[in-house]
Amino acid sequence: MFSLVYRSVAMPEFTLDQIQEMLIKAQENNRTLRITGCLLYHQGEFIQYLEGNQYRVLTLFDKIKADPRHKNVELLSYEEREDRVFSSWDMAYENFYGENAQITHLKLLVEEYLDENIVHADNHPAGAAFWNTVGTLLAARPSV
């Protein structure tokens, strides 16, 4: 199992409706490729965690880097791991607007990760990069 984490900046003209359309296509494609993960969007920035077969994940990442709907694509981390973190999510998505079950679940996962940060950081650098960045986004998120 291979995983990677990246962040990028959405182009200003990339609307929330267009992001939703992109997500539907990504979920279908990822299901076919057996890639799972999580895509987060907050104040014009994306952070995405992808996991699956290394060749397929890296091929998808090459396509993502070439996508003109965002810029400043930055690979934060990657790793080989034993199992999936998002095994039941073709591609979870959260735009950090309002409370819902998925954001509550992410908050719990982040809190659990941050409580055990020392254990995870050495063993899973991609996970560490993802959860630390998500924790930063959640901490900066205004209360609704």
Side-chain angles (χ1 to χ4, degrees):
M1 187 64 47
F2 181 78
S3 61
L4 68 76
V5 178
Y6 76 89
R7 74 185 311 163
S8 66
V9 177
M11 297 302 282
E13 61 274 7
F14 196 20
T15 67
L16 288 177
D17 287 341
Q18 291 171 324
I19 292 171
Q20 289 289 354
E21 290 174 20
M22 175 202 66
L23 179 66
I24 291 167
K25 291 177 184 173
Q27 288 171 329
E28 293 169 1
N29 186 49
N30 291 351
R31 192 174 303 119
T32 300
L33 296 173
R34 299 191 65 222
I35 292 175
T36 55
C38 185
L39 173 65
L40 303 175
Y41 177 75
H42 180 63
Q43 296 182 349
E45 289 193 27
F46 292 106
I47 178 169
Q48 186 166 25
Y49 182 103
L50 297 169
E51 59 190 4
N53 170 277
Q54 182 174 0
Y55 176 79
R56 291 177 180 165
V57 169
L58 290 173
T59 300
L60 176 58
F61 185 56
D62 284 341
K63 290 179 184 178
I64 289 168
K65 289 187 295 187
D67 190 326
R69 296 174 292 189
H70 65 160
K71 62 183 178 180
N72 302 336
V73 178
E74 175 187 3
L75 178 63
L76 298 177
S77 188
Y78 61 91
E79 70 178 327
E80 289 282 341
R81 52 181 305 128
E82 291 293 317
D83 50 7
R84 294 177 187 266
V85 174
F86 295 99
S87 59
S88 61
W89 294 359
D90 297 321
M91 186 50 57
Y93 170 73
E94 177 56 54
N95 71 3
F96 290 105
Y97 180 77
E99 288 296 319
N100 60 46
Q102 220 169 6
I103 193 73
T104 301
H105 180 68
L106 280 173
K107 284 180 181 176
L108 292 173
L109 288 173
V110 170
E111 287 171 11
E112 179 182 322
Y113 170 78
L114 294 176
D115 286 345
E116 300 174 12
N117 190 18
I118 296 170
V119 174
H120 294 293
D122 292 336
N123 297 333
H124 302 293
F130 179 77
W131 293 118
N132 286 331
T133 304
V134 170
T136 302
L137 289 175
L138 288 172
R141 183 172 180 256
S143 298
V144 178

